[in-house]
C-alpha cells in the first residue's frame, strides 16, 4: 500500500494576517526557499509561495535589505536568485569550513578556455584550436564538464557533425552573472590588457 505523499495545501494568500505580517511571512517563505536550494530559484518558482498579487521582485528586494550587514547576501544569477556568502568572508570559510568540491580548482588556462567557450558558443574543439593555436585536451573539457560549467550544444552542421560546447547555468552562478549579457565586453578587456586584441 503506497503512502499518501501529498502536501497539505499551502495558503498563499494569508488573508487572515494583517498586510504587514502577510508581507513579512512571504519574505520568510522566499528566504526559506532560497536557503534550501543549491541552485538559483526562478521568479516563477518563488511566486508559488506568495500571494497572487505579491511582487516577487519587491519581496526579494526587502529581504536583501534585511540581510544588509550580514555575512551572506541574495545574488541574482542564472535567471534566478540564490544565497551567496559575501566575498569578504571567503578567507574565513576556507580556513574553517569543509567546502570540498564547492571551490573551483581551475588553472588560468582552464579559465581561458571557459571564457573562449562563453564568448564563442556554441563552439567545437576545432574552433577552440583555432583560438588557442593548439588542440584542447578532452581531459580539460571533461574537467569543465564535471564541474557543470559547460555542456554539449548542438552538433556542428558540417562533416562528421562534431559536438559543440556551451556554458551552463552553473557557469553563470559560479561567476555571479545573471546572463551571458553580463560577460565583460571583449573590446574593454583588450583595452585593459586582459585579452588579446583581434
Amino acid at each position: 500500500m503506497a503512502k499518501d505523499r501529498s502536501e497539505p495545501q499551502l495558503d498563499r494568500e494569508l488573508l487572515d494576517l494583517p498586510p504587514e505580517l502577510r508581507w513579512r511571512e512571504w519574505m520568510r517563505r522566499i528566504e526559506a526557499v532560497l536557503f534550501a536550494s543549491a541552485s538559483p530559484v526562478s521568479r516563477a518558482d518563488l511566486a508559488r509561495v506568495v500571494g497572487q498579487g505579491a511582487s516577487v521582485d519587491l519581496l526579494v528586494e526587502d529581504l536583501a535589505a534585511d540581510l544588509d550587514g550580514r555575512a551572506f547576501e541574495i545574488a541574482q544569477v542564472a535567471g534566478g536568485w540564490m544565497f551567496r556568502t559575501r566575498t569578504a568572508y571567503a578567507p574565513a570559510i576556507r580556513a574553517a569550513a569543509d567546502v570540498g568540491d564547492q571551490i573551483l580548482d581551475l588553472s588560468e588556462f582552464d579559465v581561458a578556455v571557459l571564457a573562449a567557450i562563453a564568448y564563442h558558443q556554441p563552439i567545437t574543439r576545432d574552433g577552440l584550436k583555432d583560438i588557442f593555436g593548439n588542440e584542447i585536451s578532452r581531459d580539460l573539457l571533461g574537467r569543465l564538464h564535471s564541474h557543470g560549467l559547460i555542456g554539449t550544444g548542438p552538433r556542428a552542421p558540417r562533416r562528421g557533425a562534431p559536438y559543440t560546447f556551451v556554458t551552463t547555468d552553473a557557469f553563470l552562478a559560479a561567476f555571479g552573472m545573471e546572463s551571458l549579457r553580463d560577460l565583460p565586453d571583449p573590446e574593454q578587456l583588450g583595452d585593459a590588457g586582459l585579452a588579446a586584441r583581434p
Side-chain angles (χ1 to χ4, degrees), residues 94-175:
R94 282 191 210 100
D98 178 15
V99 290
D101 293 337
Q102 293 178 26
I103 294 177
L104 294 176
D105 187 21
L106 300 175
S107 72
E108 197 172 307
F109 188 66
D110 292 349
V111 173
V113 170
L114 189 55
I117 293 169
Y119 280 103
H120 301 282
Q121 62 187 308
I123 189 169
T124 63
R125 281 183 73 216
D126 284 344
L128 291 170
K129 180 180 178 181
D130 291 345
I131 292 170
F132 291 99
N134 59 0
E135 198 76 33
I136 303 302
S137 77
R138 292 181 195 279
D139 288 343
L140 186 154
L141 294 170
R143 192 166 49 254
L144 295 176
H145 191 273
S146 71
H147 283 305
L149 300 172
I150 65 169
T152 53
R155 288 186 173 251
R158 62 173 190 256
R159 189 171 197 200
Y163 285 103
T164 61
F165 300 97
V166 295
T167 56
T168 63
D169 284 349
F171 163 81
L172 295 173
F175 291 94

Side-chain angles (χ1 to χ4, degrees), residues 24-151:
R24 176 75 46 195
E25 176 60 21
W26 288 336
M27 284 173 52
R28 294 301 163 237
R29 287 179 178 186
I30 287 175
E31 181 178 26
V33 170
L34 295 178
F35 182 79
S37 180
S39 58
V41 182
S42 71
R43 178 179 289 103
D45 287 338
L46 291 176
R48 292 180 186 156
V49 299
V50 300
Q52 194 168 8
S55 167
V56 170
D57 292 311
L58 291 177
L59 285 161
V60 169
E61 194 176 295
D62 284 356
L63 180 56
D66 269 6
L67 298 174
D68 192 38
R70 304 285 304 270
F72 51 92
E73 63 189 350
I74 296 175
Q76 192 166 8
V77 293
W81 290 277
M82 66 185 300
F83 276 131
R84 177 174 64 188
T85 305
R86 296 184 193 273
T87 54
Y89 297 98
I93 291 169
R94 282 191 210 100
D98 178 15
V99 290
D101 293 337
Q102 293 178 26
I103 294 177
L104 294 176
D105 187 21
L106 300 175
S107 72
E108 197 172 307
F109 188 66
D110 292 349
V111 173
V113 170
L114 189 55
I117 293 169
Y119 280 103
H120 301 282
Q121 62 187 308
I123 189 169
T124 63
R125 281 183 73 216
D126 284 344
L128 291 170
K129 180 180 178 181
D130 291 345
I131 292 170
F132 291 99
N134 59 0
E135 198 76 33
I136 303 302
S137 77
R138 292 181 195 279
D139 288 343
L140 186 154
L141 294 170
R143 192 166 49 254
L144 295 176
H145 191 273
S146 71
H147 283 305
L149 300 172
I150 65 169

